[in-house]
């Protein structure tokens, strides 16, 4: 009886052990003691429900800061099929949280093991349902872990204008998120430095047996904001909220502006516009009503009537002047006659 009870307790402990694992960002001062909220602390009602990827469900919560975003995912032999499905759910959750569109965030996925496969590029999908359906079709490649080759492929092929990346003049942030559970079988330090130098911001997510030094070599600085570690693929989706805070940022119009009428978000900043009928003043903040120039159009009929009246008046004056001259002449002649008498 005691053996049976002991065996039952051991089985329960084995089932609950995965729930006590955590999701952490890497602390640069102590890479193995990684600070984060404990997944176990948020779990009070048993095991999490089994999740499947639903391409139709969308839940956008990021309405600012457009990105060119490329996921680089490890599908080597060490990633079991069930774990790879959890990676795909994480990708779908990330798509849900972003403002996806041609003028918003564009997304690509690079899949790698011993070889590298670009699953879709930045110009392929501009709506969430189609993008998530494409994610469901991704299959693991198995075999080795050529992380450096994957980063190089992303830099040289996925982040090009031909593949849908916006021109540098647009100043759209370029972001790569690498998800891996192992040690790279090739060099990552130099190619990662080259990618960062080209303007790509790199986030490195390590799972389970991931090599911490390699994660640090790949990621942008500061490391505590760009390197993350999760102990199992079962909790990787918990990183979604962290990336939402990091990638979305705040709408500059929503946190205060000086625009009198309309504030327009322009990525990292904003500018002011005026409502119809108003123009923007030289301070680029306040608005003034447009000055309407009145144009008086004379009635041509009125003009002709005035002209006729003027002519008639002039003729009458001429006649009156002639009569006055005649009267004046008669009076003068009369005065002469009277003077001779």
């Amino acid at each position: 009886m005691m053996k049976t009870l002991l065996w039952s307790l051991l089985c329960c402990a084995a089932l609950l052990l995965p729930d006590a694992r955590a999701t952490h960002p890497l602390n640069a001062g102590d890479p193995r003691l990684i600070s984060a909220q404990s997944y176990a602390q948020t779990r009070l009602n048993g095991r999490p429900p089994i999740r499947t990827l639903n391409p139709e469900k969308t839940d956008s919560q990021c309405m600012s800061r457009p990105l060119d975003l490329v996921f680089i995912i490890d599908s080597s032999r060490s990633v079991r099929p069930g774990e790879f499905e959890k990676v795909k759910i994480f990708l779908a959750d990330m798509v849900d949280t972003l403002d996806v569109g041609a003028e918003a965030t564009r997304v690509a996925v690079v899949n790698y093991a011993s070889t590298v496969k670009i699953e879709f590029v930045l110009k392929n999908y501009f709506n969430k349902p189609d993008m998530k359906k494409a994610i469901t079709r991704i299959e693991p490649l198995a075999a080795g872990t050529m992380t450096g080759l994957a980063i190089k492929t992303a830099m040289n092929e996925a982040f090009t204008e031909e593949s849908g990346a916006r021109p540098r003049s647009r100043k759209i942030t370029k972001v790569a998120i690498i998800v891996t559970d192992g040690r790279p079988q090739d060099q990552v330090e130099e190619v990662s430095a080259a990618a960062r130098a080209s303007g790509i911001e790199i986030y490195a997510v390590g799972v389970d047996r991931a090599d911490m030094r390699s994660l640090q070599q790949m990621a942008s600085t500061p490391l505590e904001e760009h390197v993350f570690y999760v102990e199992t693929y079962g909790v990787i989706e918990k990183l979604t909220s962290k990336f939402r805070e990091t990638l979305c940022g705040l709408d500059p119009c929503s946190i205060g502006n000086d625009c009198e009428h309309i504030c327009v978000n322009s990525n990292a900043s904003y500018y002011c516009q005026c409502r119809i009928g108003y123009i923007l003043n030289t301070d680029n903040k306040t608005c003034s009503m447009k000055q309407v120039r009145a144009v008086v159009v004379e009635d041509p009929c009125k003009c002709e009537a005035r002209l006729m009246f003027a002519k008639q008046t002039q003729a009458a004056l001429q006649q009156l002047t002639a009569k006055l001259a005649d009267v004046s002449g008669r009076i003068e002649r009369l005065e002469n006659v009277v003077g001779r008498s």
Side-chain angles (χ1 to χ4, degrees):
M1 183 69 177
M2 185 61 72
K3 289 183 177 179
T4 303
L5 181 59
L6 182 59
W7 177 253
S8 298
L9 290 173
L10 288 173
C11 289
C12 290
L15 289 172
L16 293 173
L17 182 59
D19 289 340
R21 295 186 173 183
T23 303
H24 327 278
L26 181 66
N27 188 318
D30 192 349
R32 298 308 295 182
L33 296 177
I34 305 165
S35 61
Q37 74 172 46
S38 171
Y39 181 56
Q41 291 174 350
T42 66
R43 304 277 289 97
L44 301 176
N45 300 314
R47 298 180 61 78
I50 297 174
R51 287 199 56 198
T52 56
L53 200 163
N54 182 356
E56 301 303 324
K57 180 183 177 183
T58 61
D59 183 23
S60 178
Q61 299 184 30
C62 181
M63 297 305 295
S64 63
R65 194 187 175 197
L67 308 168
D68 285 339
L69 174 61
V70 176
F71 290 99
I72 304 173
I73 57 172
D74 178 358
S75 65
S76 58
R77 186 181 293 111
S78 60
V79 184
R80 291 184 285 273
E83 294 173 333
F84 192 68
E85 288 302 312
K86 293 183 185 299
V87 174
K88 289 159 66 173
I89 290 173
F90 166 66
L91 297 186
D93 285 347
M94 287 295 299
V95 168
D96 273 340
T97 202
L98 297 169
D99 182 20
V100 172
E103 296 303 319
T105 292
R106 301 183 182 184
V107 179
V109 175
V110 174
N111 186 10
Y112 79 95
S114 292
T115 58
V116 179
K117 179 182 179 184
I118 299 179
E119 298 290 347
F120 56 86
V121 295
L122 295 167
K123 66 180 180 181
N124 284 157
Y125 303 107
F126 296 139
N127 67 81
K128 296 182 182 184
D130 288 346
M131 189 178 293
K132 291 170 70 176
K133 286 176 183 176
I135 291 173
T136 63
R137 295 191 291 268
I138 298 175
E139 297 292 336
L141 300 175
T145 310
M146 302 296 286
T147 309
L149 179 61
I151 295 171
K152 184 177 181 180
T153 302
M155 177 176 61
N156 293 337
E157 298 181 36
F159 278 110
T160 62
E161 291 185 34
E162 291 76 15
S163 294
R166 267 72 65 95
R168 187 182 296 270
S169 59
R170 294 281 303 276
K171 297 182 180 179
I172 302 295
T173 303
K174 294 179 175 15
V175 175
I177 298 178
I178 304 168
V179 180
T180 180
D181 75 339
R183 182 187 298 274
Q185 295 177 335
D186 56 357
Q187 296 298 316
V188 297
E189 188 171 10
E190 289 187 8
V191 68
S192 298
R196 295 193 302 268
S198 71
I200 301 171
E201 185 176 5
I202 301 178
Y203 292 84
V205 177
V207 183
D208 195 9
R209 300 169 297 277
D211 178 58
M212 289 297 168
R213 179 169 174 78
S214 298
L215 296 176
Q216 290 177 311
Q217 290 175 342
M218 292 186 287
S220 298
T221 56
L223 294 180
E224 58 267 25
E225 296 179 8
H226 291 85
V227 180
F228 300 90
Y229 174 78
V230 292
E231 293 182 355
T232 69
Y233 280 103
V235 295
I236 190 172
E237 63 192 74
K238 293 295 177 179
L239 286 175
T240 305
S241 60
K242 181 64 180 176
F243 277 113
R244 180 188 298 124
E245 296 172 6
T246 303
L247 299 180
C248 292
L250 295 174
D251 184 347
C253 287
S254 67
I255 61 177
N257 63 83
D258 299 323
C259 298
E260 183 178 5
H261 285 184
I262 302 169
C263 177
V264 181
N265 179 11
S266 61
N267 195 4
S269 186
Y270 69 89
Y271 61 91
C272 302
Q273 286 185 345
C274 298
R275 293 190 291 269
I276 296 175
Y278 292 80
I279 58 173
L280 194 65
N281 294 327
T282 55
D283 61 5
N284 293 321
K285 297 175 184 178
T286 59
C287 300
S288 297
M289 186 177 291
K290 288 182 178 179
Q291 297 295 323
V292 179
R293 184 178 179 183
V295 178
V296 179
V297 179
E298 290 283 355
D299 184 345
C301 295
K302 290 183 178 180
C303 293
E304 290 180 4
R306 288 177 181 176
L307 184 61
M308 181 64 67
F309 175 76
K311 289 181 178 180
Q312 291 175 348
T313 302
Q314 185 176 9
L317 288 173
Q318 289 176 347
Q319 290 177 0
L320 182 59
T321 301
K323 288 182 179 180
L324 288 174
D326 181 57
V327 171
S328 178
R330 290 182 181 181
I331 292 173
E332 185 177 353
R333 288 195 296 275
L334 182 61
E335 287 179 347
N336 291 332
V337 172
V338 172
R340 287 196 297 271
S341 334

